[in-house]
Amino acid sequence: MAIIHELSPHLADLIAAGEVVERPASVAKELVENAIDAGATRITVEIENGGISYLRIADNGCGIAAEDAPIAFRRHATSKLRTEEDLNKIGTLGFRGEALAAISSVTRIDLFTRQADAIAGLHLHLEAGQIKTCEEAGCPVGTTMVVRDLFYNTPARMKFLKKDFTEAGYILGVVQHAALSHPEIGFTMIRDGKQVFTTDGRGKLIAPVFAVFGKEMTDSMLPVPKTEHQNMTVTGYIVKPHLGRPNRGMQHFFVNGRYVKSKLMQAAMEEAYRNAMITGKYPSGAVFLELPLNSVDVNVHPAKTEVKFSQEKPVFEAVYIACKNALAAGDNIPLLTHQEKPAPTPAPREDNLSAAQQQIAVPVSPPATAHEALPREEKNAPPPIEDFFVAVPPRAVRPQRPIESDTAAAPMQPYQSAPGFAPRRVDPALLQPLREEAEPVQAPPEQALAAMPAVPAEKQEPAVQTITGGARVIGECFHTYLIAEDADGLILIDKHAAHERMLFNKLRRESVIPSQELLTPAVVELTAEQAAVLREQLNELLQAGFDVDPFGENSFAVRSAPAYLDFGDIPAVISELAEKTLTSRAPVPDRLDDLIHMVACKAAIKAGKATSLTELQDLCDRVLSDEDVRSCPHGRPTTVRLTKYELDKLFKRVNQ
């Protein structure tokens, strides 16, 4: 009995569809590319239910001849390739001749097309790749493709699709990429009867850049001047260095009018920002590369989103030089724009903290008073902090203490008075006896020394203790690492990592994370893909203390946030969460841990921030007494020990 047999045409089409048609966005990409290749100047994309039940692509291109329309849905049927030599210089977006056959095999399709010189158009209806209806029809010049019921005959594929608005976000990303690569074409996208994206098609690149990146980012973009290098041309728009993003979601690269994912161009662009952008941030922009067709191979990926260059070094140099020249010629000073409702500027951390922020902040020293004019050794050290997470009253709250009498001396408060509170005036005459008593006494140095009050025992330098909770803090280096000592040697603690782990552990233990309503909502701009996946995370965001509402197509308004976060850190947390969700398939509990981790990281004390000795001592005691604070949530160690024996070996005090 024969084991090897030939597959049926329908089964072969279904297998091919698995390579080409992954989701509704794959269908939209293939049909939009066909419309562009047809010479259209106006393309409309309309979807319902995320493109799963209904997707319509209409263009005003050249149309399809009546005798060619049925052939177009056969496998390997195309008008874009003739000979083997054509594969070496592919100038069209489509060329394989398998997209329509793959799409029609898993959907129901209605095709309406008419050429400019034809009296009547043609209507084709196909189901599972089979033509059911072929008739004349009245229709405008161009082609309209209506795709219904995606994967209706392969229900197993349906379970891999995401929610409707997620799939719609992917389709919007396809339309945005097409609009950026072809500004001479006007694009319109309609989702569930509402227009969500449009470009004018006048040929100016700034129009689709504005539609994709938004007004705020476009205002801070630099044009990449037309740069020619070794028969290559680079143009585009890139952001100023101060607008670094926490991810690469806003990087768009195009080769000969085709959107691609190129690590080579990405590395060249980021190299141009070296020493100009904060480490850990990534540039954004749209970079367009034009080069000879025979210098690039686009037939290396089923989705045609990856390309292979015959010579990579010239491509790297061309992109790098173009971006570097744009940064050098542009005004890189941040642009300050007028806002009707100015966003609140976070006050210094020690001066204006919410009650919840004070619970998790490193204890701060009392504000400066008049006694700071004394030498350091004569100042009274602030009282020790009993609890690291104890709530501290805000500085603007006046102590509510009943006054016994006008002459009763109120105890010194470690916080400044509330605005508008004036201290009681004292008659200068009452101070005269004090001044007389304060006259210096002419006494021998020995007597003056003996007359000085003894230093209280608790004010003396703490004795060196073991690591079980009493290491003595010496100071800090680089405002990043805490230095302490005990009987065994030196201890180095990463302030940010240790504080981050403490906050992370505390937030995970809390059933409800305290949230505070923002005076002015923080608006976060995301890419279409990021916005789509973020809509699925709204419930998880609510559990983590965020109240987020959609605010436009790809924007979100954060109305409440965890009380531990500063206002300026909110957009970065939301953007980073969206990017992680887009690239990760972690389960819900892990995604919630990621969100808590991001909140803890942003709320923790920052590396490079000067810290008082009291704060350092309190942080040291808590880190060394908590076995769960041995590494930060990233996995980096929080504490490193250098024993006395190792120090003695370094200085050759012992035999090695």
Side-chain angles (χ1 to χ4, degrees), residues 77-106:
T78 180
S79 62
K80 302 165 186 176
L81 291 180
R82 294 292 182 183
T83 63
E84 295 179 5
E85 289 73 17
D86 293 338
L87 280 174
N88 297 326
K89 48 180 181 178
I90 298 175
T92 55
L93 298 179
F95 54 88
R96 292 175 180 159
E98 60 183 5
L100 290 182
I103 294 171
S104 64
S105 65
V106 292

Side-chain angles (χ1 to χ4, degrees), residues 42-124:
R42 173 61 61 180
I43 299 176
T44 301
V45 179
E46 183 178 2
I47 64 173
E48 293 179 3
N49 301 326
I52 300 173
S53 62
Y54 180 86
L55 188 152
R56 180 176 69 91
I57 310 290
D59 67 74
N60 61 349
C62 63
I64 306 175
E67 59 272 19
D68 290 338
I71 304 176
F73 290 91
R74 299 177 187 175
R75 293 190 66 191
H76 310 302
T78 180
S79 62
K80 302 165 186 176
L81 291 180
R82 294 292 182 183
T83 63
E84 295 179 5
E85 289 73 17
D86 293 338
L87 280 174
N88 297 326
K89 48 180 181 178
I90 298 175
T92 55
L93 298 179
F95 54 88
R96 292 175 180 159
E98 60 183 5
L100 290 182
I103 294 171
S104 64
S105 65
V106 292
T107 60
R108 296 184 174 95
I109 290 183
D110 284 286
L111 169 68
F112 299 89
T113 183
R114 181 170 75 89
Q115 293 184 317
D117 56 354
I119 299 176
L122 178 70
H123 169 224
L124 284 182

Side-chain angles (χ1 to χ4, degrees), residues 1-23:
M1 181 178 179
I3 299 177
I4 300 176
H5 59 277
E6 187 177 0
L7 297 177
S8 65
H10 178 62
L11 182 56
D13 288 342
L14 291 179
I15 295 174
E19 299 178 355
V20 178
V21 184
E22 180 184 2
R23 55 178 9 106

